[in-house]
Amino acid sequence: MKLVFALCFTFLTVLSFSNAADIWTDCSGPSATLKLSKVVITPDPPVRNMNLTLFVEGSLSKPIKEGTTVTYKIWYEGFVLKKGTDDLCQDLIEKDTPKKCPFLPNTDYKQSYTTALPPKTPKGHYKAKVVVTDQDANEVHCIALDFKLK
């Protein structure tokens, strides 16, 4: 819920969607410090009442240290469903993930996140935007999601 893609983690805990390859876009600016090379969502398509795994891979050009934040906003049928800002490094500690801050530049970033999808996810149009900002207020990455749950 608080990680770069747990961004999607929070988002994915409240929904399931159809074709993963068609639902996400990189909305990062040219100076973003994380360049995604791969995003895989399984099962594809996700299934209600089952675990969902999100795998992300990319490369960092600058370090990510304490003070990095994840700001997210989720819309359902055009209405804001949830929004917030979380501390990425603190969340890594709380979730007891294998990776911790700092993340060093010029290294590959690979991480998997798993969460259960609720069985009563409503059908409809979902959008989300997640922006990660580093300790110096520079954009690390941005991901946008847009799809219809059938």
Side-chain angles (χ1 to χ4, degrees):
M1 164 175 194
K2 301 164 190 159
L3 295 178
V4 149
F5 306 101
L7 58 165
C8 297
F9 195 137
T10 299
F11 181 61
L12 296 172
T13 60
V14 293
L15 52 93
S16 63
F17 44 83
S18 55
N19 188 347
D22 297 332
I23 66 146
W24 75 275
T25 56
D26 185 338
C27 54
S28 301
S31 62
T33 59
L34 175 65
K35 303 297 183 200
L36 277 183
S37 58
K38 187 176 192 178
V39 175
V40 178
I41 300 170
T42 54
D44 183 8
V47 178
R48 292 177 182 150
N49 207 26
M50 288 185 63
N51 282 343
L52 174 87
T53 300
L54 172 67
F55 171 79
V56 294
E57 184 175 341
S59 179
L60 287 170
S61 61
K62 294 182 181 177
I64 295 177
K65 301 176 184 174
E66 289 186 28
T68 298
T69 59
V70 178
T71 302
Y72 59 91
K73 190 180 255 187
I74 303 165
W75 295 267
Y76 170 69
E77 295 292 344
F79 295 96
V80 175
L81 181 65
K82 188 171 185 174
K83 64 181 178 175
T85 299
D86 297 310
D87 183 287
L88 179 125
C89 295
Q90 185 62 38
D91 188 53
L92 289 170
I93 293 168
E94 291 172 7
K95 300 282 188 207
D96 196 27
T97 61
K99 301 206 179 206
K100 307 279 189 241
C101 291
F103 292 96
L104 302 176
N106 303 315
T107 60
D108 289 334
Y109 176 85
K110 295 180 182 180
Q111 187 70 38
S112 291
Y113 308 94
T114 300
T115 189
L117 292 175
K120 295 183 180 180
T121 304
K123 296 177 184 179
H125 188 198
Y126 290 88
K127 288 185 178 187
K129 184 174 183 180
V130 181
V131 179
V132 180
T133 306
D134 73 12
Q135 62 282 351
D136 299 318
N138 299 312
E139 182 184 59
V140 174
H141 195 71
C142 175
I143 292 179
L145 299 163
D146 188 348
F147 63 92
K148 289 185 181 178
L149 176 65
K150 299 175 182 181

